[in-house]
Amino acid sequence: ATAAQQQQQLAQELLAEVRGQLAMLQSAAAKSTGDAASQQRQQLRDQLIAENAELRAEADRLRDEMIRLQMRNGVAQVPLLRPEPPSSASASATVAAPTPSAAAEKPKADSKAGSAATAATAAASNKKPGKAAGQAKDSGKPAESKKTAGKEPAAADGGLDVTRLDLRVGRIVSAEKHPDADALYVETVDVGEERPRTIVSGLAAHVPLPELQGRLAVFLLNLKPAKMRGISSEGMIMCASASGKVETLSPPPGVSPGDRVSVAGCPSPAERPPDAQLNPKKKIWEALKPHCLVDADGYAGFNGARWLVAGKGEVRAPSLKSAQIS
């Protein structure tokens, strides 16, 4: 009887041990399944982010291509540098008055705001300033509104002044994939300052990583720093894009990190220093961007005037022609 009890006790202990090991195996399997599911969700999230970035880039490319074709066919582009969306009255005044004569011929307005905008546009074109002033006065708007009604938003912000951009040559000291985004690269760039800058770019789908190591390129450096998936980007590498292909712009031979890039026929950065930092609310780069194009000979330019490094040559795209710069 004692032997039977001992065997029964031993069997119970073995059964308890087996149950414990089974519970441990089940817990480990559940944890492994949870980790795999979490990893799959993260991979799907990264994939969707990358696809969204590609779709956004494609939409920008198609918009820029449309603007380039419109400019080639003589369609004027009107930059809107407003910190706030334009009102319906001033928007209608801008669209309805592409020329001073058209603005002067518009006799009626649907509202007091529209009347003031039309009057101010006529005054700006030197068409009967006395009458325009009278119309603005009759509209009942405050004096401050009379000063701003109907003006191009770019006029209050310097218009299409490309010298506001701080364009410089930089050398990519190192480049690596972004730890949290497959579509992004993180580059350490020497731009001739005391310390290198960190710049995040969406080139992973377009430029092999080894091609960026040690490469000289052109950078826009007075954008407001912005975090991209947790890493602050202190500038933007300038690229040419056309037909889905993207490549970094190449400065002329003999340049050094920190060399300034200017535009032919415009004041040099020494004569007219660029903005210390572009105000993101003014959309200055967004207004200038459609006019920054690679010409049919492969040279980068602004409204047909080429980008250059003084005394060293002109900036160009390695292979693309008639492309958008962004």
Side-chain angles (χ1 to χ4, degrees):
T2 303
Q5 290 176 354
Q6 290 178 348
Q7 290 178 354
Q8 184 177 4
Q9 183 178 358
L10 180 60
Q12 290 176 348
E13 291 176 353
L14 290 174
L15 180 60
E17 183 177 353
V18 168
R19 286 175 176 172
Q21 292 179 350
L22 179 60
M24 290 175 61
L25 290 173
Q26 289 175 340
S27 176
K31 183 178 179 181
S32 176
T33 302
D35 292 344
S38 177
Q39 186 176 5
Q40 288 179 347
R41 287 194 297 270
Q42 183 63 35
Q43 289 176 347
L44 180 60
R45 183 170 179 266
D46 290 342
Q47 181 181 352
L48 290 174
I49 290 173
E51 290 177 355
N52 186 47
E54 290 179 1
L55 289 172
R56 187 181 295 110
E58 180 65 12
D60 289 343
R61 185 191 68 79
L62 292 173
R63 180 201 63 199
D64 296 338
E65 180 68 11
M66 179 189 69
I67 293 173
R68 184 180 67 82
L69 293 174
Q70 287 179 336
M71 291 176 63
R72 177 180 290 180
N73 292 326
V75 179
Q77 303 295 311
V78 180
L80 297 178
L81 302 181
R82 281 184 187 270
E84 297 178 357
S87 65
S88 58
S90 39
S92 63
T94 302
V95 173
T99 63
S101 60
E105 289 173 3
K106 186 175 180 180
K108 295 182 181 180
D110 295 333
S111 65
K112 293 182 179 180
S115 176
T118 305
T121 304
S125 62
N126 297 321
K127 296 288 186 179
K128 299 182 180 179
K131 182 178 179 181
Q135 290 174 349
K137 184 175 180 180
D138 294 339
S139 68
K141 279 185 164 283
E144 182 179 352
S145 298
K146 289 189 288 182
K147 291 181 181 179
T148 58
K151 286 186 178 180
E152 292 285 352
D157 204 42
L160 292 177
D161 185 359
V162 72
T163 64
R164 302 183 70 175
L165 303 181
D166 185 0
L167 295 168
R168 282 185 252 169
V169 174
R171 183 185 299 276
I172 302 174
V173 178
S174 65
E176 57 186 16
K177 288 187 176 180
H178 194 296
D180 296 322
D182 293 338
L184 301 177
Y185 286 155
V186 180
E187 299 131 18
T188 301
V189 184
D190 176 11
V191 291
E193 298 173 332
E194 292 183 1
R195 67 170 186 85
R197 294 200 184 203
T198 298
I199 292 179
V200 180
S201 62
L203 295 176
H206 306 285
V207 182
L209 196 57
E211 291 186 10
L212 291 179
Q213 309 294 341
R215 188 181 186 91
L216 285 167
V218 177
F219 296 86
L220 177 57
L221 298 179
N222 59 343
L223 295 172
K224 183 178 180 180
K227 281 197 173 184
M228 300 181 69
R229 297 298 300 273
I231 296 180
S232 180
S233 182
E234 302 172 295
M236 180 172 67
I237 188 169
M238 306 307 289
C239 299
S241 60
S243 302
K245 183 178 180 180
V246 178
E247 58 188 22
T248 62
L249 296 179
S250 298
V255 295
S256 301
D259 282 352
R260 300 276 184 171
V261 176
S262 57
V263 177
C266 295
S268 68
E271 296 169 330
R272 185 184 295 173
D275 291 13
Q277 185 178 100
L278 298 177
N279 187 340
K281 292 183 178 181
K282 299 294 184 180
K283 303 293 184 183
I284 298 168
W285 165 240
E286 289 77 1
L288 294 170
K289 176 181 172 181
H291 304 269
C292 296
L293 303 168
V294 174
D295 63 22
D297 296 320
Y299 289 94
F302 176 80
N303 280 345
R306 291 180 178 178
W307 291 9
L308 53 87
V309 177
K312 297 179 180 178
E314 298 166 326
V315 177
R316 65 178 305 154
S319 64
L320 291 176
K321 297 180 180 180
S322 300
Q324 175 65 51
I325 297 175
S326 60

